[in-house]
Amino acid sequence: MQILLSNMACISMKSSMNWGWMATGKKQMNQNNALPDIAAFLKSQDTLTLFCHVRPDGDTLGSAFGLMDLLESLGKRVKVLCADPVSPRYRFLSGGRADLLGTPEGALVCIDIAAPDMAGAYAAFAKQADLVIDHHATNPYFGKWNYIDAAAGATGEILVDLAEELGPLSPRAAAAFYTAIATDTGCFKYGNTTRATHLKAARLMETEFDVAALNRWLFQTKSQAEFEINRLAMETLRFYAGGRIVTMLISREMLLQTAAGADELESISSLPIQIEGAVVAATFKEAEPGQYKVSLRTNGLLDGGKICALFGGGGHRMAAGCSMRGAYETLEACMVKTLRQELEKVQ
Amino acid sequence: MQILLSNMACISMKSSMNWGWMATGKKQMNQNNALPDIAAFLKSQDTLTLFCHVRPDGDTLGSAFGLMDLLESLGKRVKVLCADPVSPRYRFLSGGRADLLGTPEGALVCIDIAAPDMAGAYAAFAKQADLVIDHHATNPYFGKWNYIDAAAGATGEILVDLAEELGPLSPRAAAAFYTAIATDTGCFKYGNTTRATHLKAARLMETEFDVAALNRWLFQTKSQAEFEINRLAMETLRFYAGGRIVTMLISREMLLQTAAGADELESISSLPIQIEGAVVAATFKEAEPGQYKVSLRTNGLLDGGKICALFGGGGHRMAAGCSMRGAYETLEACMVKTLRQELEKVQ
C-alpha cells in the first residue's frame, strides 16, 4: 500500500490536478478529504469518467449513475465505465445498456472500488484515480482525493452526503442512490444497516420516485430460471450434526438445464444458512466438470474465512469461499468432516 | 359504523372513564385524540389490559409488548391478551409464551385491531375499549379514546411517537417496536414504507439492541418444514398466457408430509407473483379434502379483489382470496379461464 501511495505521489507531481490537501497541508495518510472540497473538485472539472467495479452490483452502479446525473445537471460531460457487463436487474440504471465500455477521459473517479484491480480491464486507469469514493475498510486510499467511510453501509450513503454539496437531487438520482443503499444492505436487513442508513433513505424519499415499484423490482422479482435453480438446489439439501451443518449442490447438469446465469445464482448460497438451527452451510457449485466453487455461510459461531483457508480459500467470518476438485461425494464428505471438527471445538 | 358508535355512546354514559374529549368538546366523529392526551390517559391508569388481534402478527404483538414495557416502567400493572396462539417466530416478544389468555382488567386498550371482531374471543371487551391505537384505514374509531393513522406503515410507528410522551425507551421496547414496523413493511420493502417509517427506525436504533440478529430471526430464518413446503409447492407451478398467469398448488398431502403450520405458510402465496413477467398468481391451498383456499396476488394491473368477488371472496387489488370446492384440475382451469378473460380486458 505504501508503494502504491508513493507511486501516486510521483504521478501527482506530473499532473496538473488541483491538490487541495497538499496546499493546506492537512492531508495525512489514509485521511479523507472533506466532502465540500471533493464537491469543489468535481465542480472544477468539465469532463469526468466514473469507474464501477467488476461484477457490478447495485451499489457501484447506483452510486455512479446517481453521481453522473448530478454532474450532468451541472453541465459536465460524464461517462460511466465498467469492465464487466451489467446484469439485467440493474440495466434500468444504465439506460438499458449492458455494456459500459469506452475510452476514459477527463478526471478519473473510482466508485465503490476497494482497490485498483477491482476495476478489471480499467485497473491502469484506476491506479491513476483523481478521486476515490468507497466504503470498504481495506481501501488503501489510492486516489489523489479520497473519501472512504467503512461505517457506511453502502457507498451510496456517502453519495447522499456529497449530493447535499452538489445541488438538488433529481428523482432519477434519488432512485439510483436508493438502489445503491438498499441493495448493499439487503433492503435494510443486514448488519451494515445503521441509523444513518435509515436517515439517508428518508432523505432520498423526500424526492419523489416510486420506491415501492423499485423495491419490487430489486427484491421481489425472480426469473423463472432463478426459481427453478433454487428449487432444484433445495432438493439436494443434506443435514448433518443434528441440522447444524447443511450442504447443497448446484451441479453442471442443473446449470445447463435451467440456463441460470451468474445473476440468478447471486443469492443462492445464502439460502441454506436460513434454515432454523443451521450453524454452517456449504454450497458446492460445479463451475467445470469435477471443479467446485464452495461457498461457506455461517451464523457467526464458526469462522468461515478460517475454514476456507484450510482449503486454500478465504473470506469473512460469515461468508467465505474456496475451490475444490474431485468427485462431489468425496469433496462433500471431506468438507462435512472438517465442519464437524470445527463445530466440536466451539460447542 | 354509526350504529357501533352510538352503542359506544350508551356504554360511555354508564362508565366512569375520564372522557377527555367530551370535556373539551373537541372530539368529532373519526377524529384522533392528541398523543399527549392519550399518554396522560395511560399515565392516569393503574391497571391496563392490551389486546392483540387474532392470528397475531409482529405489528400487533410488537406494539403491545413494547407499550407494556413502557407502562411497566411507569409502575403500571399490565397484561397483554390475545385470543389466538403466538407463533414461534414472535414468542421472544411474549417471553416465550404461546398462550396469552387471561381475564381482562383495568383500562382496555386495543392495539392494531381494525374492528372489535378482530379481537376474536375478546371481542366483547374490545367493544368497550377505552383506547384504540391502529393504522387500518377501515377502523371505525371504536374506542373511547382513539388514535388511528392510516398513513402509518405499521401501528408500531404510532407507538414510537407515543413513546416520546411516555418516557425513555428500553432496548426491549425499542426491539419490540422495531419488530412491529419491520414485519408490517416487509423490512422496509412494501409500498406502505414512507419517510416516516425510516425516520422511526432510525429513532429506535438510538436505543441499542441487536438489530442485525433481530432481522436475521425475522426475515432470514426458515424452518425445515417451510423450506420443504416451498420446494414442493414450486414443483407445482404452471404458467399460462406467456407466463403472465401462474398457478401453484399446496395439496393436503404436501401439508401432511411436511407438517407445515400456518406460520410456515404465511408468505408462500407471495412466491409465484415474484416470477418475472407474472401479472397474476393464484395459489390453491387444500384446507380440507376437495376444499381450497385460493390466494390471488397481482402486480397491480388486475384487481384481485374484484376477481375473487366473482367467486364469493374479496380483498385488495394486489392481494385477495376466495374459497373453491371441487377437483383441483377443474377449479384451476376455471380460475385460469377467468384470469385470461380479465387479462384480455386490460391488455
Side-chain angles (χ1 to χ4, degrees):
Chain A
M1 196 183 79
Q2 274 184 321
I3 295 166
L4 182 66
L5 283 172
S6 64
N7 280 348
M8 294 307 307
C10 293
I11 294 161
S12 75
M13 294 309 168
K14 296 174 207 157
S15 94
S16 59
M17 294 300 311
N18 169 21
W19 280 40
W21 51 266
M22 290 196 79
T24 62
K26 283 183 188 163
K27 178 71 165 75
Q28 292 169 9
M29 182 80 78
N30 287 6
Q31 186 172 305
N32 284 328
N33 298 98
L35 282 178
D37 293 340
I38 288 176
F41 164 71
L42 289 168
K43 285 177 182 170
S44 74
Q45 304 298 310
D46 293 324
T47 306
L48 303 101
T49 299
L50 315 181
F51 293 103
C52 296
H53 63 68
V54 287
R55 297 186 298 280
D57 60 11
D59 193 16
T60 195
L61 291 166
S63 297
F65 280 100
L67 180 57
M68 180 188 196
D69 192 276
L70 290 173
L71 293 171
E72 285 185 341
S73 296
L74 296 170
K76 314 296 179 191
R77 284 181 54 221
V78 188
K79 57 174 82 171
V80 174
L81 300 182
C82 182
D84 278 354
V86 179
S87 74
R89 184 155 327 256
Y90 298 125
R91 282 183 204 160
F92 73 95
L93 293 168
S94 61
R97 288 180 60 195
D99 162 1
L100 298 175
L101 300 173
T103 311
E105 50 180 332
L108 306 179
V109 182
C110 286
I111 304 285
D112 196 43
I113 293 179
D117 282 354
M118 290 299 293
Y122 291 115
F125 292 96
K127 277 182 189 158
Q128 303 175 50
D130 295 302
L131 169 61
V132 173
I133 302 177
D134 186 30
H135 75 125
H136 293 97
T138 54
N139 193 302
Y141 290 67
F142 63 94
K144 290 161 198 157
W145 296 69
N146 295 283
Y147 198 91
I148 319 296
D149 181 4
T155 294
E157 287 191 31
I158 303 167
L159 268 297
V160 176
D161 287 335
L162 185 60
E164 300 292 335
E165 308 286 337
L166 287 176
L169 271 176
S170 68
R172 189 186 163 102
F177 293 147
Y178 180 91
T179 300
I181 294 172
T183 53
D184 246 30
T185 60
C187 205
F188 311 97
K189 234 182 355 258
Y190 301 154
N192 58 351
T193 308
T194 66
R195 283 190 65 230
T197 314
H198 283 289
L199 291 174
K200 280 163 189 180
R203 169 71 190 81
L204 291 172
M205 287 166 74
E206 287 173 23
T207 302
E208 218 166 286
F209 60 97
D210 192 341
V211 65
L214 181 53
N215 284 334
R216 271 200 304 280
W217 173 248
L218 293 173
F219 303 109
Q220 296 180 279
T221 306
K222 289 185 170 69
S223 68
Q224 287 191 27
E226 186 170 355
F227 250 79
E228 186 59 10
I229 194 89
N230 282 6
R231 186 182 71 76
L232 292 172
M234 280 160 67
E235 282 180 8
T236 71
L237 288 178
R238 292 179 183 172
F239 299 89
Y240 303 92
R244 288 174 297 160
I245 299 170
V246 189
T247 66
M248 187 166 80
L249 167 66
I250 298 157
S251 68
R252 275 197 65 73
E253 195 186 346
M254 286 157 58
L255 290 170
L256 296 171
Q257 183 185 330
T258 59
D263 200 34
E264 277 124 356
L265 290 167
E266 204 182 305
S267 60
I268 201 165
S269 304
S270 304
L271 285 182
I273 194 66
Q274 295 185 15
I275 301 174
E276 202 175 346
V279 169
V280 57
T283 299
F284 291 76
K285 282 183 211 169
E286 195 177 12
E288 301 295 331
Q291 168 77 41
Y292 294 85
K293 286 177 70 176
V294 186
S295 299
L296 223 59
R297 297 288 183 274
T298 81
N299 70 352
L301 189 66
L302 294 183
D303 188 335
K306 282 191 185 162
I307 296 169
C308 284
L310 300 173
F311 296 97
H316 304 283
R317 187 171 187 88
M318 294 172 76
C322 60
S323 291
M324 294 176 93
R325 181 181 286 279
Y328 177 64
E329 293 300 335
T330 311
L331 300 179
E332 196 235 17
C334 175
M335 177 59 81
V336 168
K337 188 179 168 192
T338 304
L339 295 177
R340 279 187 196 278
Q341 287 165 350
E342 295 297 317
L343 260 185
E344 275 165 23
K345 289 181 194 167
V346 295
Q347 287 187 324
Chain B
M1 194 183 81
Q2 274 181 321
I3 295 164
L4 182 66
L5 282 172
S6 63
N7 280 347
M8 293 308 305
C10 294
I11 295 162
S12 75
M13 294 311 169
K14 296 173 206 156
S15 95
S16 60
M17 293 301 311
N18 169 22
W19 280 39
W21 51 267
M22 291 196 80
T24 62
K26 282 184 190 162
K27 178 70 165 71
Q28 291 168 9
M29 182 80 80
N30 287 5
Q31 186 173 305
N32 284 329
N33 298 97
L35 282 179
D37 293 341
I38 288 176
F41 165 72
L42 290 168
K43 285 177 183 171
S44 74
Q45 304 297 311
D46 293 325
T47 306
L48 302 102
T49 299
L50 314 181
F51 293 103
C52 296
H53 63 67
V54 286
R55 296 185 298 280
D57 60 11
D59 193 16
T60 195
L61 292 165
S63 296
F65 280 100
L67 179 57
M68 180 188 196
D69 192 275
L70 290 174
L71 293 171
E72 285 185 341
S73 296
L74 295 170
K76 314 295 178 191
R77 284 180 54 222
V78 188
K79 56 174 83 171
V80 175
L81 299 182
C82 183
D84 278 354
V86 179
S87 74
R89 182 154 331 255
Y90 298 125
R91 282 183 205 161
F92 72 95
L93 293 167
S94 60
R97 287 180 61 194
D99 162 2
L100 299 175
L101 300 173
T103 310
E105 51 180 332
L108 307 179
V109 182
C110 286
I111 304 286
D112 196 43
I113 293 180
D117 281 355
M118 291 298 293
Y122 291 115
F125 292 96
K127 276 182 191 158
Q128 303 175 49
D130 294 302
L131 169 61
V132 174
I133 302 176
D134 186 29
H135 75 125
H136 293 96
T138 55
N139 194 303
Y141 290 67
F142 63 93
K144 291 162 197 157
W145 297 70
N146 295 283
Y147 198 91
I148 319 296
D149 181 4
T155 294
E157 287 191 30
I158 302 167
L159 269 297
V160 176
D161 286 335
L162 185 60
E164 299 292 335
E165 308 287 337
L166 287 175
L169 271 176
S170 67
R172 189 186 165 102
F177 293 148
Y178 181 92
T179 300
I181 294 173
T183 54
D184 246 30
T185 60
C187 205
F188 311 97
K189 235 184 351 262
Y190 302 155
N192 57 352
T193 308
T194 66
R195 283 191 64 231
T197 315
H198 283 290
L199 291 174
K200 281 163 188 179
R203 169 69 191 82
L204 291 172
M205 287 166 74
E206 287 173 22
T207 302
E208 219 167 287
F209 61 96
D210 192 341
V211 66
L214 181 53
N215 283 334
R216 271 200 304 280
W217 174 247
L218 294 173
F219 304 109
Q220 298 179 279
T221 306
K222 289 185 171 69
S223 68
Q224 287 191 29
E226 186 170 356
F227 250 79
E228 186 60 8
I229 194 90
N230 282 5
R231 186 181 72 75
L232 292 173
M234 280 160 67
E235 281 179 9
T236 71
L237 289 178
R238 292 178 183 173
F239 299 89
Y240 303 92
R244 288 174 298 159
I245 299 170
V246 189
T247 66
M248 187 166 81
L249 168 66
I250 299 157
S251 67
R252 275 197 64 74
E253 195 186 348
M254 286 157 58
L255 290 170
L256 296 172
Q257 183 184 330
T258 60
D263 200 34
E264 277 124 356
L265 290 168
E266 204 181 304
S267 60
I268 201 165
S269 303
S270 304
L271 284 183
I273 194 66
Q274 295 184 16
I275 301 175
E276 201 173 346
V279 169
V280 56
T283 299
F284 291 76
K285 281 183 211 167
E286 194 177 14
E288 300 295 329
Q291 168 77 42
Y292 294 85
K293 286 177 69 175
V294 186
S295 299
L296 222 59
R297 296 288 183 273
T298 80
N299 70 352
L301 188 67
L302 294 183
D303 188 335
K306 281 191 186 163
I307 297 170
C308 284
L310 300 173
F311 296 97
H316 305 284
R317 187 171 188 87
M318 295 171 75
C322 59
S323 291
M324 294 176 93
R325 181 180 286 279
Y328 177 64
E329 292 300 335
T330 310
L331 301 179
E332 197 235 16
C334 174
M335 177 58 81
V336 168
K337 188 180 169 193
T338 304
L339 295 177
R340 278 188 197 277
Q341 287 165 350
E342 294 297 317
L343 260 184
E344 275 165 23
K345 288 182 197 167
V346 294
Q347 285 188 325

